[in-house]
Every structure is written in structure tokens, then in C-alpha cells.
Amino acid sequence: IFINGGDTRLYQRLYARGKARDIIVKRFAAGANIGGSSAGALILSRQCIVWGNKILRKGKSFNLSCPTANTDSRNAATMLKTGTGIGVLDSTVVDVHGSEWGRLPRLIEAMKQLNAGDGLMIDEDTYVIIRPNSARWTIEGNGRIYRIKAVKTGYVVSTNPA
């Protein structure tokens, strides 16, 4: 099963609810591999990043990704929104275009909002193969993946060698 890139808000409505979600989860549990690109990867987790690149703190707006990397962060209406995903990654929140769009702060903020213990940030031209009932992930491509783990004192970030 592969879900391509596109409009995360639309994909979240189409794939993370109802029959489509049930079919995807059932197929994954039965042994089907699953993958996604960009928006398609974002919605694979149980709770996901739906849209946005900003937060408000004490009445001030902060960018959570590079404002020159994508137009979302230049739009004042793009506050970070999280929601229900498909659920094949139970406790891991996913973000994409990691290094290219400077999204580590966005992923950490989403993890805070969702009370998630694990995060996975994937660079462009990089993919992660996740197989059902396996703790081992295969990483391929030219970029990096970043694993983020919530700990008592903050977050620990580790990466694969590029």
C-alpha cells in the first residue's frame, strides 16, 4: 500500500477515517507493507501532523520550520494542527522534508501536543520500510532519518549516517 504526496488535510479526511482506514489497517496487520511520500507518510501514525508551521507563545507567533523553504510558514493562518492518522505507527509521530524545510521544531512541538514518546523525521529522497510485526526498519535513499525520543529532561535526537 502506498499513499503519495499531496494535501495532508484532504488525505487525513480520506484515509484516516472510516472504511479506508479500516481496510489499510487490516491489510497491514495481515502482512502488507505500507509506505507514503510526503503527506502520505505524515498520516501513517495514530496521531499525525495535519497542517501548519506556527505556534503562539505568550501572544507571539513562532515559526516551526524554515519560512523560506515552503509557503505554509509564510501564511499567518498556518497554526500547527494535529489530528487522527491511520494508525499503523502507534506511538510515533512522523514529519517529512526534515532537513530541507528545517522541521525538527515542528515535529517536537507536535510530539508535545500529542503526548507522543517517539518521532520520526524523514528527509527528501529518503524512505523507511516498515514491515508489520517487525521492530527493524530499513532505510534507503540519499537523505537522513531522525529518530526523536521524549525523555524526562527533553528530547534525544539520533540519526542514521547519510
Side-chain angles (χ1 to χ4, degrees):
I1 300 168
F2 191 86
I3 303 170
N4 212 356
D7 184 337
T8 310
R9 297 167 294 185
L10 174 64
Y11 285 8
Q12 193 256 349
R13 286 192 308 272
L14 290 175
Y15 297 116
R17 300 179 185 164
K19 260 187 184 177
R21 181 194 175 280
D22 294 344
I23 291 167
I24 293 167
V25 169
K26 192 178 289 184
R27 296 277 306 161
F28 183 72
N33 292 332
I34 188 163
S37 172
S38 194
L42 285 175
I43 64 170
L44 294 178
S45 45
R46 184 177 54 81
Q47 295 292 318
C48 67
I49 297 170
V50 176
W51 200 251
N53 291 293
K54 293 184 180 186
I55 56 167
L56 287 177
R57 291 279 191 267
K58 298 180 182 175
K60 187 173 179 181
S61 173
F62 291 92
N63 279 323
L64 297 172
S65 64
C66 179
T68 58
N70 81 56
T71 56
D72 293 346
S73 58
R74 287 178 269 183
N75 180 343
T78 61
M79 292 298 160
L80 181 65
K81 181 180 181 220
T82 57
T84 302
I86 292 172
V88 295
L89 294 173
D90 189 43
S91 63
T92 302
V93 177
V94 177
D95 207 349
V96 293
H97 311 294
S99 297
E100 296 80 9
W101 292 7
R103 283 193 163 169
L104 182 60
R106 182 173 105 141
L107 178 54
I108 289 173
E109 181 62 31
M111 289 173 64
K112 284 181 192 177
Q113 287 184 17
L114 296 168
N115 197 27
D118 295 299
L120 174 65
M121 187 169 71
I122 307 168
D123 282 353
E124 294 176 5
D125 298 325
T126 307
Y127 62 93
V128 180
I129 300 168
I130 301 167
R131 292 183 173 81
N133 305 315
S134 174
R136 187 166 173 241
W137 296 2
T138 304
I139 304 159
E140 298 289 342
N142 298 321
R144 294 180 185 265
I145 66 145
Y146 299 83
R147 301 286 306 263
I148 296 84
K149 181 84 173 157
V151 295
K152 287 181 183 179
T153 57
Y155 295 87
V156 175
V157 179
S158 59
T159 186
N160 67 307

